[in-house]
Amino acid sequence: MIRNICRRLGESVIVLLGVALMIFVMLRIVPGNPVATMMGEHADLAVIERMTAELGLDQPVYIQFIRYITGALKGDFGTSYSLGKPVSFLMGTAFGNTLKLALFAALFAWALGIACGISAAARKNGLADHLFMGVSLMGVSMPIFMVAMLLQYVFAYHLHWLPISGINDWRGFLLPAVALGWNSAGSISRLVRSTLLDILQEDYIDTARGKGRTQAGVLIFHAFRNALLPVITMMALQFSSLLSGAVITETVFSINGIGRLAVQAIAGRDIPLLEGTALFTTLVVILGNLAADCLYDILDPRIRKEV
Amino acid sequence: MEHNILEIDHLHVVFPSSKGETSPVNDVSLRVPAGKTVGIVGESGCGKSMTARAVMGLIHAPGRITEGEIRLCGRDLRKLSEKEYCSLRGSEVSMIFQEPMTSLNPVMKAGHQVEEVLRLHTDIPESELKQRVIDIFRAVGITEPEKRYNCYPHELSGGLRQRVIIAMAMICRPRLMIADEPTTALDVTVQAQILRLMKDLVSDDTGLLVISHDLGVIAKLCDYVYVMYAGRIVEESDIFTLFDDPQHPYTKGLMDAVGSLRRDAEVLSTIPGVVPSLAHLPAGCSFCLRCENGSDRCEKELPGLIQTGPGHKVRCHLMKEAGQ
């Protein structure tokens, strides 16, 4: 199993390098001079040229890339053109906020999704089933900004229970976390329900009932453990996408996170910042997949055997 | 004195569907005496598995028992609450399911799955559980039981899995064990081993109910046999009488079908026609459409179980009651 994880880690490094190269090359293919944008309309041509040379943007792309990678390995991702601060510093601060937001959102989504999924499956076509599946359909189909604004309207504007935006304390995270997790909760509860219903048809469920397990016991100890396999994969992927920045949620609730940083970088043609955020997103997605694979190995003995 | 472990009287199981109700189990009565092995034989879909499930209280919805009594050692099982039933399953009545390949939970170690039964029904201390499981593994002929304890089902062969399932069914020493096609999914050589093992399962105060479509399995294991056809019992008798002197045309057909294999016949004997759909059973004898000697009466009037000899009953209009 350890060997397997190492192999996947190796593969991940190659993927990461490939993505870094692609981002790097693409950003240099797009027309327009970032330095000119940075200096404004009325900048002197000579100044622009000097600045371009200073930033190393006049060098061939491969040299720029090698420089970038060697810097990145030392933790230096360059300095943001628009904000004038090191990219690593900016991303560090933003990532802290994004991480907290993602954790809150994921906890909310998983707890709600799993609980609703199990209770819906426990009584197929029962009241809970129809209710939860109806609500979850809403969860899956409602756009985030709408959920976010509804929440703001009800809980902040109307009831004054929670701050309307900003994250001065943990209460500030509640609304954005619910808005962000709402969608995931919907899809997780539907996946948990349908997987459980499939598994409840399996022969080993009869065996477990024959042992004297109650209906609830069978659901929790036998069916759920098996249902976890696809659910874990979905959760890991969802979490990595939550971590890589929730552009809309962060914007609506004015949270200074990775998503907002990326939008800023795109708008300002801030190449180092854009490369930094894009690379970071890739890394998080790769790690999420890796985590899903490892969990799969732990949970499913059949896979453990094959590798 | 001989007493019965299991008594089923006039059991009806009904499945409602959009096309009307079907009755996979129709007025079934049977007995499993202490110390005996009783078999139910019939084609697939004849209701034999459903009868077993009814005893376990595990009929899948929307099916349900509408009439009849099921008594285990005198206790009326239909009056039990779900909770009481759960404490009964696994400890007093257990079932060996049909498919060893899929009847074990794929993500749990074999040993733990057997241990679970002990956890549910006994107060055996945690430290002794493993030893108990290893002991029972040894008893059902699992080689290297310590090693197998930690195996996952996919690491075990079909025969070993069936032994694990048997261990699971017998570890609490239930009064009644039900084996639903215990050997159907296994290789012939392994079948013989499992049958030998099952023969030893029955002690003086327990009973075994074997369900099979295979007359060979029934002949090897059982003391007494019920033949089922389309939800009804059509013949019942002790094993020797049944094989010496089968009376119901359906039983005869079954015997001929097996017999023709043995006699090296050019043309294999079959029962003409197919099992009728449970939704469209004739008002009379359900076998009349396939019976060579079927008459108008057979089609219209349901024959009762007629006693044709000591302990031998047949549901057929062609039979004469013993002594008449």
Side-chain angles (χ1 to χ4, degrees):
Chain A
M1 192 168 129
I2 305 282
R3 230 186 72 203
N4 190 37
I5 293 174
C6 289
R7 202 194 70 217
R8 282 183 207 161
L9 264 175
E11 287 170 3
S12 304
V13 172
I14 297 173
V15 173
L16 201 59
L17 266 178
V19 172
L21 183 66
M22 255 161 60
I23 298 169
F24 203 85
V25 172
M26 273 194 298
L27 284 178
R28 275 149 187 85
I29 291 175
V30 247
N33 185 341
V35 182
T37 320
M38 191 166 76
M39 312 287 287
E41 282 177 57
H42 308 293
D44 189 9
L45 207 63
V47 179
I48 290 179
E49 257 172 36
R50 208 184 63 223
M51 197 69 189
T52 310
E54 219 167 82
L55 290 171
L57 291 174
D58 56 343
Q59 302 284 326
V61 174
Y62 71 91
I63 293 196
Q64 288 184 39
F65 184 67
I66 291 168
R67 269 193 199 162
Y68 182 74
I69 292 296
T70 35
L73 286 176
K74 290 182 214 146
D76 174 18
F77 294 89
T79 305
S80 160
Y81 297 166
S82 54
L83 300 168
K85 287 181 186 154
V87 171
S88 49
F89 168 78
L90 288 169
M91 285 205 312
T93 326
F95 180 61
N97 292 332
T98 297
L99 179 66
K100 280 185 217 154
L101 177 61
L103 277 177
F104 274 110
L107 281 180
F108 166 76
W110 297 346
L112 188 71
I114 289 174
C116 290
I118 291 181
S119 40
R123 288 256 167 91
K124 192 188 171 192
N125 292 327
L127 181 68
D129 189 11
H130 287 301
L131 183 72
F132 290 150
M133 286 310 109
V135 173
S136 77
L137 189 63
M138 252 164 62
V140 181
S141 50
M142 252 158 77
I144 288 188
F145 71 87
M146 200 169 122
V147 180
M149 278 168 9
L150 268 175
L151 288 171
Q152 279 180 327
Y153 179 74
V154 175
F155 293 99
Y157 176 74
H158 228 71
L159 297 170
H160 299 291
W161 286 357
L162 295 163
I164 199 155
S165 71
I167 40 165
N168 299 318
D169 58 5
W170 63 272
R171 289 170 61 237
F173 278 108
L174 290 184
L175 289 186
V178 171
L180 188 58
W182 185 244
N183 228 295
S184 315
S187 42
I188 286 181
S189 68
R190 298 183 84 79
L191 183 69
V192 168
R193 174 184 180 270
S194 65
T195 319
L196 275 179
L197 287 179
D198 278 350
I199 287 174
L200 287 175
Q201 307 290 322
E202 297 279 346
D203 290 336
Y204 57 80
I205 295 300
D206 279 337
T207 312
R209 293 283 282 144
K211 282 181 198 176
R213 276 275 185 212
T214 56
Q215 205 125 31
V218 167
L219 205 61
I220 307 285
F221 293 102
H222 288 272
F224 187 60
R225 173 83 199 275
N226 281 280
L228 265 182
L229 298 172
V231 174
I232 287 273
T233 318
M234 190 186 215
M235 293 201 302
L237 294 180
Q238 277 184 349
F239 189 61
S240 58
S241 86
L242 291 180
L243 266 186
S244 51
V247 177
I248 296 169
T249 316
E250 287 175 3
T251 311
V252 174
F253 290 96
S254 331
I255 296 171
N256 192 10
I258 294 282
R260 243 177 124 205
L261 208 58
V263 175
Q264 250 172 311
I266 293 168
R269 287 202 54 104
D270 192 336
I271 290 185
L273 192 57
L274 196 49
E275 278 163 357
T277 47
L279 211 57
F280 177 79
T281 308
T282 316
L283 182 69
V284 166
V285 171
I286 288 175
L287 287 180
N289 274 309
L290 196 67
D293 278 352
C294 296
L295 282 171
Y296 231 103
D297 281 0
I298 293 167
L299 285 173
D300 193 342
R302 286 163 295 188
I303 294 182
R304 220 181 298 162
K305 177 81 175 182
E306 277 162 30
V307 287
Chain B
M1 194 199 99
E2 189 182 75
H3 66 286
N4 290 323
I5 298 287
L6 177 71
E7 296 171 349
I8 299 180
D9 281 317
H10 307 292
L11 181 71
H12 290 256
V13 175
V14 164
F15 271 74
S17 76
S18 51
K19 287 177 228 140
E21 291 187 337
T22 56
S23 311
V25 178
N26 207 334
D27 196 17
V28 166
S29 301
L30 61 81
R31 301 274 178 276
V32 179
K36 300 284 184 209
T37 301
V38 172
I40 306 179
V41 68
E43 286 164 277
S44 30
C46 73
K48 51 195 197 308
S49 291
M50 201 55 74
T51 309
R53 285 185 162 276
V55 176
M56 293 295 287
L58 290 178
I59 293 177
H60 288 299
R64 64 198 162 85
I65 301 174
T66 50
E67 265 179 69
E69 271 184 53
I70 306 171
R71 285 183 304 275
L72 183 73
C73 305
R75 235 169 130 192
D76 188 346
L77 296 188
R78 284 194 64 199
K79 293 212 175 88
L80 295 183
S81 70
E82 181 54 29
K83 205 178 149 204
E84 290 169 316
Y85 228 131
C86 282
S87 64
L88 199 83
R89 288 187 206 114
S91 67
E92 301 210 17
V93 51
S94 64
M95 189 153 168
I96 297 160
F97 286 94
Q98 224 177 94
E99 286 292 331
M101 302 319 261
T102 51
S103 287
L104 290 172
N105 190 333
V107 300
M108 274 172 88
K109 287 178 180 170
H112 291 174
Q113 300 196 40
V114 180
E115 219 171 78
E116 194 185 357
V117 189
L118 289 177
R119 275 180 212 278
L120 285 169
H121 299 292
T122 66
D123 302 321
I124 295 171
E126 196 71 14
S127 53
E128 286 172 34
L129 285 173
K130 185 172 178 184
Q131 194 49 48
R132 287 288 188 102
V133 172
I134 288 173
D135 289 346
I136 198 101
F137 273 10
R138 199 168 284 126
V140 296
I142 295 176
T143 49
E144 301 178 87
E146 287 89 358
K147 202 178 122 199
R148 308 294 186 202
Y149 176 92
N150 283 317
C151 280
Y152 285 95
H154 69 272
E155 296 166 320
L156 303 173
S157 65
L160 276 177
R161 285 186 214 189
Q162 193 63 307
R163 283 173 201 269
V164 171
I165 293 171
I166 292 173
M168 204 185 277
M170 62 184 277
I171 194 161
C172 283
R173 311 209 160 278
R175 305 299 298 276
L176 175 71
M177 269 188 271
I178 304 172
D180 188 359
E181 306 273 6
T183 57
T184 306
L186 302 174
D187 287 344
V188 184
T189 46
V190 183
Q191 271 187 24
Q193 298 168 6
I194 296 287
L195 287 180
R196 220 169 297 140
L197 172 66
M198 299 209 40
K199 240 182 141 59
D200 299 332
L201 291 181
V202 188
S203 63
D204 285 345
D205 57 348
T206 65
L208 177 63
L209 180 62
V210 177
I211 288 158
S212 184
H213 68 276
D214 185 344
L215 279 169
V217 169
I218 297 286
K220 282 195 194 94
L221 282 178
C222 299
D223 302 304
Y224 201 84
V225 194
Y226 292 84
V227 182
M228 263 184 102
Y229 184 79
R232 284 206 172 83
I233 285 173
V234 294
E235 183 161 6
E236 55 174 276
S237 137
D238 69 86
I239 186 81
F240 297 109
T241 314
L242 188 85
F243 277 82
D244 282 347
D245 183 21
Q247 303 254 328
H248 196 280
Y250 175 63
T251 319
K252 283 182 191 164
L254 279 183
M255 300 277 180
D256 284 346
V258 180
S260 67
L261 289 170
R262 303 234 169 91
R263 283 193 307 268
D264 222 7
E266 288 272 318
V267 180
L268 295 179
S269 165
T270 56
I271 304 176
V274 290
V275 183
S277 150
L278 285 174
H280 305 103
L281 285 183
C285 172
S286 38
F287 189 64
C288 67
L289 300 174
R290 298 170 76 184
C291 183
E292 287 175 353
N293 304 316
S295 65
D296 261 8
R297 186 178 170 215
C298 294
E299 250 176 80
K300 290 189 184 108
E301 191 187 320
L302 180 69
L305 272 173
I306 300 165
Q307 185 110 26
T308 60
H312 193 171
K313 290 182 188 169
V314 184
R315 189 188 289 280
C316 182
H317 286 308
L318 304 170
M319 297 301 131
K320 289 215 169 58
E321 209 143 338
Q324 274 187 357

